[in-house]
Amino acid sequence: MHVRRHAVTLAFALLLAAVAPRLYAQATRVAVVDLQRALTETEDGRRAKARLKRTFEARQRTLDAKQRELKALQEEIEAQQKVLSPEALQKRVEAFQKAYMELQSTYMEYQRELASKEAELTQPILRRMQEIVQRIGQSEGYTLILERNESGVIWVPANLDLTDMVIQQYNASSSEGSSRRGRRSSKRR
């Protein structure tokens, strides 16, 4: 009785050992995608980057002008410090310090504004890219797709990098969408 039970258990174990590798032998496919590179190389990403650059340059011009005014005020204080009364000098130094603090505050405000604007412009693009990556993963049978910069990937063969495919599909879907919008607006006319 015990021998028969051991024989059945042994037969089951051998059967499982023969079948299990086939069950788990389904190809585990892993790939990477560089979303930052894709963001900078898609048409929408380039437009977003150009808008951010224009906003940054405008803010930088404002900061530069305020900085020049501050430098002129500092030079004026240094040039007149020997001829001004201590009270007048103190008022000028206080005005300089106030202007300096305002410049720092403006700088911080611009930094927050630019970060917010960047998120506003890039989040929709990244969401669409994630949808494209998911479609590629499902259609190509990938088990796992990692973000190259955030997953600690140091090296990967080029054939496992899906970034170019994501860029191409993103730009293709953008041009299809814009051509459909163009056809709709031309039909309305």
Side-chain angles (χ1 to χ4, degrees):
M1 189 82 162
H2 290 305
V3 173
R4 185 176 178 157
R5 193 168 40 196
H6 287 303
V8 170
T9 304
L10 181 61
F12 181 74
L14 288 172
L15 179 65
L16 186 60
V19 173
R22 289 190 194 109
L23 290 174
Y24 293 103
Q26 296 173 354
T28 300
R29 295 188 67 198
V30 178
V32 297
V33 65
D34 185 341
L35 290 177
Q36 279 307 117
R37 189 181 122 221
L39 180 65
T40 60
E41 292 184 20
T42 59
E43 294 303 320
D44 288 347
R46 287 184 180 136
R47 279 192 290 276
K49 186 177 178 182
R51 284 182 65 188
L52 282 171
K53 185 177 180 187
R54 285 192 301 273
T55 302
F56 170 79
E57 288 171 347
R59 299 298 183 252
Q60 188 63 48
R61 284 191 296 275
T62 303
L63 287 173
D64 289 346
K66 287 184 180 191
Q67 199 167 14
R68 283 191 297 276
E69 291 172 12
L70 199 58
K71 186 170 175 65
L73 182 58
Q74 181 182 18
E75 289 171 356
E76 185 179 310
I77 290 170
E78 288 172 359
Q80 295 179 350
Q81 76 182 23
K82 292 185 179 166
V83 294
L84 289 175
S85 69
E87 297 83 25
L89 180 62
Q90 181 65 28
K91 284 184 181 181
R92 291 274 179 106
V93 168
E94 287 173 3
F96 173 81
Q97 289 173 340
K98 181 180 178 191
Y100 181 77
M101 295 297 282
E102 287 173 1
L103 178 64
Q104 284 185 323
S105 176
T106 302
Y107 173 78
M108 295 300 288
E109 178 185 326
Y110 287 171
Q111 288 290 92
R112 283 189 297 273
E113 178 188 347
L114 285 170
S116 173
K117 188 75 165 171
E118 181 179 27
E120 173 189 324
L121 293 173
T122 59
Q123 285 305 316
I125 298 169
L126 289 171
R127 270 194 300 278
R128 280 188 51 207
M129 281 185 195
Q130 288 173 342
E131 291 169 5
I132 290 168
V133 168
Q134 186 175 3
R135 279 197 312 266
I136 290 171
Q138 290 170 345
S139 68
E140 301 288 325
Y142 285 100
T143 309
L144 179 68
I145 299 176
L146 302 168
E147 206 298 324
R148 183 179 195 127
N149 298 316
E150 294 183 15
S151 61
V153 173
I154 297 171
W155 178 84
V156 65
N159 65 326
L160 298 179
D161 189 339
L162 304 177
T163 307
D164 291 333
M165 184 186 299
V166 171
I167 294 167
Q168 290 167 356
Q169 287 189 19
Y170 185 97
N171 285 337
S173 69
S174 289
S175 64
E176 287 171 9
S178 63
S179 67
R180 271 188 250 126
R181 283 190 297 271
R183 281 186 295 222
R184 271 189 250 133
S185 64
S186 64
K187 288 179 183 177
R188 290 182 197 152
R189 291 181 191 160

